[in-house]
Structures are given as C-alpha cells and as structure tokens.
Amino acid sequence: MTLDPSPPQPATGPGGAAAPPYGTAPRDDAARRAELAAFLRSRRERITPEQVGLPRGARRRTPGLRREEVAHLGAVGVTWYTWLEQARDIHVSPQVLDAVARALMLDRAERSHLFALAGAVDPMPGRECTGVTRELRQLLEQLTPFPAVVQNSRFDILAYNRTYGRLLCDLDALPQEDRNCMWLAFTHPEWRASMGDLEGAMRVMAAKFRASMAEHVAEPAWKALVARLTEASPEFREIWAQHEVVRPVSSVKLFRHPRVGALELTATSLWTGPNPGPKLLFYTPVDETSRERLEQLAAEPAALAAV
C-alpha cells in the first residue's frame, strides 16, 4: 500500500480558492521548494542500490537511486515524489515526508531540514533515520573487543559498540546532541584527556570537517555545529580561522584510559556508502598489551565503565 496514491492536487488558498498556478507563487516559497528539490536529489543520489537491497542492473545511468525506487522504498506515490523533486507547488502530508525521510536514510539533522524546507511539523522530531542497519549494528558488536563506530562526514556518532562507548568517555551518558567527535574533542574534559595527541587530532578533524563542509555550506546542521563550537571553544576559533583542509596523519593512535592504561591502536575506515557518506571506523591493537587492555575494557561491567 502506498501513501497518497492519487496525483497531487494544486495548493488551495483561504476558503478553498485555487492558489496561484505553479510558477507564480511568492518568491520565498519558490526558493524554498527549489531548495527542497535539490536537497532530495542530493540525498537520493548518494545512496547505492546495494545499500537498500536493490539490484544495480546493467543499464543504470542514474547516480544513486532512481525516483521510482525511492517512492517504492517509502511506499509513496511515484507522482508525489517526482513532483517534490520538480519543485511543484503541492502540499505533502507529514506522513509522506516521514516515509521519504526513512527511504532516504536521513539522519536527525537532515530529517529536521527536510521538514523545515517542506514547511511541515515533524510528528516525531526525535526520530533518527541514520541508515545504520540492523546488520551493521550486529557487525559493530561482532568487532568487540575492538572499538568500532559509525560516523558521518560531520563527525556525528551514529552507532557504536560497547568498547568504543567506553574508550574515551561514557558515551551512553551523553545527550544525543553531544555525540559528535568534533564537539567532544574541543569541549569534553574526559574525552580530551584520553587523546594521546589532542592538538593533532583537533587540527585534523577541523580540516576534514572544512573539506566536507564545502558540499554542505548552506545546510543548517553544519552551520549550527560551527556556530556552537565557535562560541564554546577558543581553540576551535583559532584553528578554524586558519582554513586548513585535510592534513596527512598517522593511522596509529594513542589513547590514555583512566582504568586500563595506555592503548596503541591502528585506525581503519570503511565507507558504508558513497564517499563522503557514513563510514565504519574501527581500531585494532598494535601490540599484545593493547589487545589485553581492550579485552579488559570490553569486559568491564556497565556500572564500572560509567565511573
């Protein structure tokens, strides 16, 4: 069963009168619809068929998914979704927007952006559509005792296993909006104390963030994080003003854990979708001592890990 199966109807004004035809709407509404259309296309084109269990086929020329595939995944009428990407002047229900958000695997910030552009109220504003599948979450746990995390290019922490959740601080105790590696590296005392090369890590993250942000300069979530960090951290203000973009960095990281001691770990990243989409980052021990300490950390009771 698809949502809104009938063709979209033109928008109506007060009292049911027909609204101005498409192309004569107020300029701000037209700009918002155009931005919504571009945003939907960009999210659709970043998802591969394989990510959602669809065959690629020999004749695929569309980057990412086709429009009809998004409509099918979201159980939404193809016409409705097509008209959204064409910036048509139509009214779309929150239920349809929710279905589109799930089909496009939007994260929390992207979902909020979608509803804002559509001029609709999100019925479930706390809902997360990160695209972290059940299979990927199972893989995270199977990597234990090696720390593993799924991040997006904004350094939001989307999912993690219990070892990573205890490596730098107690992630479970943090509110969702603070689970961002940039925010934690610049503001969280325990996270900062655990980093063996804090200054180098901050510079590398800021440089990678700036490089990634080139494709997201107009997106509210990116601008909001920069503003939040600028207000909270003098170190961030200084580094950000230097406009550095990606520096070479060693894959071997040193962590100092308050209970198990120092750990030398090699970082490996695997993209779960088209670069720069979400990535799986995991750490493997450089030596036997680090391996033993990882096993000790993973085996700690939850109550002790939170101390």
Side-chain angles (χ1 to χ4, degrees):
M1 178 179 180
T2 59
L3 297 171
D4 296 329
S6 58
Q9 300 299 315
T12 58
Y22 173 69
T24 63
R27 182 177 300 176
D28 57 344
D29 287 345
R32 178 176 53 78
R33 292 196 304 272
E35 183 67 22
L36 173 60
F39 178 67
L40 289 173
R41 285 193 298 272
S42 71
R43 302 304 92 173
R44 171 171 60 85
E45 291 174 355
R46 73 177 180 176
I47 303 173
T48 65
E50 292 83 356
Q51 281 182 278
V52 293
L54 295 175
R56 172 167 291 276
R59 298 184 178 180
R60 180 177 295 270
R61 284 181 288 224
T62 304
L65 299 178
R66 301 184 180 100
R67 288 173 176 171
E68 58 268 27
E69 290 171 334
V70 174
H72 171 74
L73 289 168
V76 174
V78 176
T79 304
W80 279 96
Y81 182 77
T82 300
W83 282 28
L84 277 175
E85 281 205 11
Q86 291 175 344
R88 298 291 189 99
D89 186 9
I90 60 173
H91 291 312
V92 182
S93 70
Q95 290 76 20
V96 168
L97 293 172
D98 173 65
V100 169
R102 287 185 285 105
L104 294 175
M105 301 192 296
L106 303 186
D107 65 23
R108 184 167 297 172
E110 291 167 335
R111 178 186 174 94
S112 177
H113 188 52
L114 170 68
F115 276 83
L117 289 175
V121 176
D122 188 349
M124 292 174 284
R127 185 160 185 164
E128 186 71 77
C129 306
T130 63
V132 181
T133 63
R134 179 174 58 87
E135 291 79 11
L136 187 51
R137 292 180 186 276
Q138 287 177 338
L139 177 59
L140 287 174
E141 289 306 320
Q142 288 299 314
L143 286 169
T144 304
F146 299 161
V149 59
V150 178
Q151 300 175 350
N152 60 20
S153 56
R154 202 169 49 235
F155 288 99
D156 293 329
I157 297 172
L158 307 180
Y160 53 91
N161 64 9
R162 62 181 179 272
T163 315
Y164 186 87
R166 301 168 179 180
L167 180 63
L168 293 134
C169 71
D170 181 11
L171 277 178
D172 291 341
L174 297 180
Q176 185 67 42
E177 60 269 22
D178 287 351
R179 295 181 190 177
N180 174 279
C181 292
M182 286 270 289
W183 175 254
L184 294 169
F186 282 97
T187 68
H188 194 282
E190 185 179 350
W191 185 286
R192 290 164 59 84
S194 298
M195 299 291 297
D197 179 15
L198 176 62
E199 182 179 356
M202 290 190 299
R203 289 190 174 277
V204 168
M205 281 194 289
K208 288 183 176 180
F209 184 90
R210 183 180 289 279
S212 297
M213 191 173 176
E215 298 181 2
H216 305 275
V217 289
E219 295 182 23
W222 291 73
K223 294 190 291 186
L225 179 56
V226 172
R228 190 182 183 203
L229 284 163
T230 299
E231 181 179 1
S233 171
E235 291 170 304
F236 177 80
R237 291 196 295 271
E238 178 183 351
I239 293 172
W240 193 247
Q242 296 173 15
H243 289 263
E244 294 180 346
V245 181
V246 186
R247 302 160 41 121
V249 60
S250 170
S251 61
V252 177
K253 312 291 183 183
L254 174 64
F255 299 96
R256 296 188 179 93
H257 194 275
R259 291 185 303 280
V260 303
L263 303 105
E264 284 191 89
L265 309 176
T266 300
T268 302
S269 295
L270 299 175
W271 295 105
T272 64
N275 189 342
K279 68 179 179 181
L280 170 64
L281 173 65
F282 61 95
Y283 297 90
T284 50
V286 169
D287 52 35
E288 190 60 31
T289 298
S290 295
R291 175 185 291 273
E292 292 173 356
R293 289 174 177 175
L294 280 180
E295 292 173 350
Q296 179 184 344
L297 184 61
E300 283 186 347
L304 179 59
V307 173

